Amino acid sequence: MKTYQAVIGLEVHAQLQTQSKLFCVAPNSYGEQANSQLGWTSAGLPGSLPSLNIEALNLAIRAGLALNCRIQRKSVFARKNYFYPDLPKGYQISQFDEPICMGGFVEFNSNQTKRRIHLDHIHLEEDAGKLTHNLGSTLVNLNRAGVPLIEIVSKPEIHTPQEAADYLRHLHSILVHSKVSDGNLEEGNFRCDANVSIRPVGDTRLYTRTEIKNVNSFRFVEKAIEFEIARQIAIVEGGGTVLQETRGWDAAANKTFLMRKKEDAEDYRYFPDPDLPVIRLTQEYIDQQRSLLPELPDNKKQRYLTDFKVSESDAQIFINHPEISHYFENVVQLGISPVTAAGWVLTELLGLLKEFQIESVSLSKVTPAMLSDLLLRVEKGEITARSAKKVLRIFFESSENLSVQEIIKKENLSQLVDVESIQNWVDQIVKSFPNEFQQYLNGKDKVKGFLVGEVMKASKGRANPEITHKLVEALKEKKTI
Ligand code: MN
């Protein structure tokens, strides 16, 4: 049996984080009443003239710099002509043969292998409106029409569905870190078209591809490509020919479906938009945009490993979730050691957010100031780590807005360092668990943890753990109850 290699190229549309649309002053906002966010050009009013949003241009340049592209000193807007109800002008303003960025690459780890996927180019374009098909009628909402996008086109260098998903995750992280796009997947601000073809292993030609349109989840892209590879192999093995077509992804049915036979570039009759001037950039302007780029994920990861000494896997979680790493850095800035802060944020805090179904750490009732206050008290020995976990939980459960200190007082959680009372609990536990105590005296050291745990429980987590350990250790010397 022949074996096949998949050849995958990805086109990502990322929405730029601007206040207004690409060519008019209408707001770039989501979730507003249908057709309430229109400007003249996005509504396609005859005679209206587009005027470029400079912030969108700047963000496109920064995206290119973050992705190692060559920023073109000259680029041109082109009209992409097609007729569709979501496009009242009858053409989309895009870029064609002279886009804003050329080349570039995304480097990431996939399946423990370092991969570098090259980009063909990045172009700047406006979004179209949104159609909702409903029971035989179609509704048009033009709020999204004219919103600025960059389209990031990779070379067909990806060969597995997993590699495609890893590429997208890394690209997404770079765009979010560089503040080019908010990357909101639910709102469709980062969506992917996947071009997929197969070829016999060893062949270097490109065979006919299909394009899967508009998938906005990493997992779905992976599944859609998986399905598409299998579908194409089945066609070829059955003696058929793969046809060039545009397909959609049906997440419920777990398969791709035919949308339309694909148009080629010449069908769009691209030509330079006569309403817009050619963009000419100086090197100074490009350098200035570079200086405005925030820290990128690869540099950040390095900083976390070197300066913060957090583990590789923790660093990766922070890179993938910028809002969590922002929170974490605030806690560190307030005097908590990075390793301690990482543990509390990633395990305790995220655990509670999940349990109480709070979507984002930015909506947490516990602010970085409150968490650092709590952890400083653990460090000073005022409360035990166990009590601190209790305090955190109370923040989530309680409807009152209490401070750390108030909760400690109210719940009587301050740590006990007084040897006599801890000794009382130790004596009590020894009486309650005579068998375990005997095993301990017989040299079964594992039981020690159990006894210490029971003392902690009896003290409601308040007993100083070190003193407790010492007293339980001392039992061995005494050999008596
Ligand atoms: Mn496009």
Side-chain angles (χ1 to χ4, degrees):
M1 199 180 104
K2 269 193 257 174
T3 43
Y4 298 89
Q5 180 186 46
V7 180
I8 303 157
L10 298 178
E11 296 167 10
V12 167
H13 285 91
Q15 192 180 107
L16 300 174
Q17 277 188 80
T18 55
Q19 297 294 312
S20 54
K21 291 187 176 178
L22 186 52
F23 298 114
C24 66
V25 293
N28 172 9
S29 53
Y30 180 85
E32 304 295 331
Q33 194 194 349
N35 297 311
S36 65
Q37 313 290 301
L38 297 189
W40 293 351
T41 59
S42 48
L45 291 189
S48 62
L49 287 173
S51 155
L52 178 62
N53 177 344
I54 192 80
E55 186 55 16
L57 174 69
N58 292 345
L59 291 177
I61 295 171
R62 281 180 230 162
L65 292 169
L67 294 167
N68 314 291
C69 302
R70 293 189 306 280
I71 309 301
Q72 298 301 99
R73 301 285 288 269
K74 176 193 172 205
S75 64
V76 176
F77 283 108
R79 290 187 182 180
K80 181 180 182 180
N81 298 281
Y82 63 95
F83 177 76
Y84 213 59
D86 62 7
L87 191 72
K89 292 198 299 298
Y91 59 87
Q92 178 191 24
I93 306 179
S94 181
Q95 295 186 304
F96 184 53
D97 48 0
E98 295 187 85
I100 181 89
C101 312
M102 293 299 291
F105 59 84
V106 179
E107 210 165 54
F108 57 100
N109 283 321
S110 183
N111 212 359
Q112 270 118 45
T113 316
K114 192 167 209 172
R115 295 286 290 132
R116 177 183 284 199
I117 301 300
H118 293 90
L119 303 181
D120 185 81
H121 72 273
I122 300 176
H123 64 257
L124 189 53
E125 65 182 22
E126 58 177 348
D127 207 346
K130 189 175 164 53
L131 299 181
T132 308
H133 307 286
N134 184 24
L135 301 173
S137 65
T138 295
L139 303 170
V140 187
N141 179 359
L142 293 175
N143 283 355
R144 210 179 62 183
V147 157
L149 304 175
I150 43 172
E151 183 173 333
I152 302 154
V153 181
S154 87
K155 302 249 190 206
E157 295 179 343
I158 298 167
H159 296 300
T160 69
Q162 191 199 336
E163 207 170 270
D166 289 336
Y167 165 88
L168 290 175
R169 284 193 189 93
H170 203 73
L171 176 61
H172 181 263
S173 170
I174 291 172
L175 295 181
V176 172
H177 275 87
S178 54
K179 297 196 162 48
V180 163
S181 172
D182 70 6
N184 189 317
L185 299 165
E186 283 78 32
E187 294 178 6
N189 296 351
F190 183 95
R191 49 191 201 262
C192 173
D193 304 337
N195 291 294
V196 180
S197 63
I198 55 164
R199 65 186 174 200
V201 166
D203 202 335
T204 53
R205 281 173 299 171
L206 290 174
Y207 285 64
T208 304
R209 62 186 163 83
T210 58
E211 180 177 11
I212 311 164
K213 267 289 181 205
N214 273 338
V215 191
N216 65 347
S217 126
F218 304 132
R219 186 72 200 117
F220 286 167
V221 171
E222 199 170 342
K223 281 187 169 176
I225 294 174
E226 228 163 71
F227 178 89
E228 193 53 24
I229 293 169
R231 191 187 70 88
Q232 293 186 14
I233 290 177
I235 290 174
V236 174
E237 293 279 305
T241 316
V242 175
L243 300 175
Q244 184 180 342
E245 56 194 26
T246 301
R247 303 182 65 86
W249 170 245
D250 182 339
N254 240 330
K255 57 186 193 181
T256 63
F257 59 91
L258 176 66
M259 289 169 80
R260 57 181 181 266
K261 305 283 180 203
K262 175 67 180 165
E263 309 85 352
D264 274 315
E266 52 266 30
D267 297 327
Y268 291 118
R269 295 284 185 261
Y270 281 99
F271 67 89
D273 192 315
D275 290 340
L276 284 156
V278 166
I279 303 171
R280 287 183 194 279
L281 301 172
T282 61
Q283 190 57 47
E284 290 70 39
Y285 194 83
I286 297 169
D287 291 343
Q288 190 198 344
Q289 292 307 314
R290 189 188 295 278
S291 73
L292 295 172
L293 259 187
E295 185 182 38
L296 296 176
D298 289 342
N299 303 335
K300 181 165 167 178
K301 186 170 181 181
Q302 208 44 55
R303 180 165 63 86
Y304 273 46
L305 294 177
T306 319
D307 297 358
F308 290 160
K309 307 266 189 294
V310 300
S311 71
E312 171 98 28
S313 59
D314 283 358
Q316 196 55 50
I317 298 175
F318 286 124
I319 300 315
N320 294 345
H321 300 93
E323 76 289 354
I324 299 174
S325 70
H326 182 70
Y327 184 103
F328 160 76
E329 290 202 31
N330 279 334
V331 176
V332 171
Q333 233 156 43
L334 291 164
I336 305 302
S337 93
V339 174
T340 305
W344 280 83
V345 170
L346 294 180
T347 310
E348 303 307 328
L349 186 65
L350 292 192
L352 285 165
L353 288 172
K354 201 171 164 198
E355 188 184 328
F356 287 83
Q357 294 177 356
I358 297 168
E359 258 175 64
S360 158
V361 71
S362 57
L363 302 173
S364 165
K365 281 174 84 179
V366 182
T367 63
M370 286 150 88
L371 182 58
S372 59
D373 180 10
L374 184 64
L375 297 180
L376 284 172
R377 289 170 197 268
V378 175
E379 211 176 279
K380 277 189 259 165
E382 203 176 304
I383 54 172
T384 62
R386 202 177 156 125
S387 298
K389 285 180 194 172
K390 211 182 255 179
V391 175
L392 265 192
R393 174 166 288 280
I394 290 168
F395 275 130
F396 281 85
E397 284 170 349
S398 165
S399 53
E400 297 170 85
N401 285 322
L402 297 172
S403 70
V404 172
Q405 180 148 28
E406 284 163 340
I407 294 178
I408 291 173
K409 202 167 163 208
K410 194 171 167 211
E411 301 287 322
N412 197 18
L413 292 173
S414 58
Q415 178 166 226
L416 286 172
V417 287
D418 133 52
V419 179
E420 207 172 311
S421 14
I422 300 178
Q423 185 65 56
N424 283 339
W425 277 309
V426 172
D427 296 344
Q428 199 183 306
I429 291 310
V430 160
K431 277 183 202 131
S432 312
F433 298 94
N435 294 341
E436 285 78 0
F437 179 54
Q438 199 52 51
Q439 288 171 354
Y440 180 56
L441 292 185
N442 295 346
K444 203 170 174 193
D445 262 351
K446 267 199 284 183
V447 186
K448 183 179 173 190
F450 169 79
L451 295 172
V452 171
E454 287 302 319
V455 174
M456 296 297 289
K457 233 191 254 174
S459 76
K460 298 206 168 70
R462 296 172 64 206
N464 175 297
E466 279 151 49
I467 299 179
T468 309
H469 267 276
K470 269 187 205 145
L471 293 179
V472 171
E473 190 66 37
L475 290 173
K476 270 203 242 171
E477 317 298 319
K478 285 196 247 165
K479 296 250 177 204
T480 56
I481 297 183

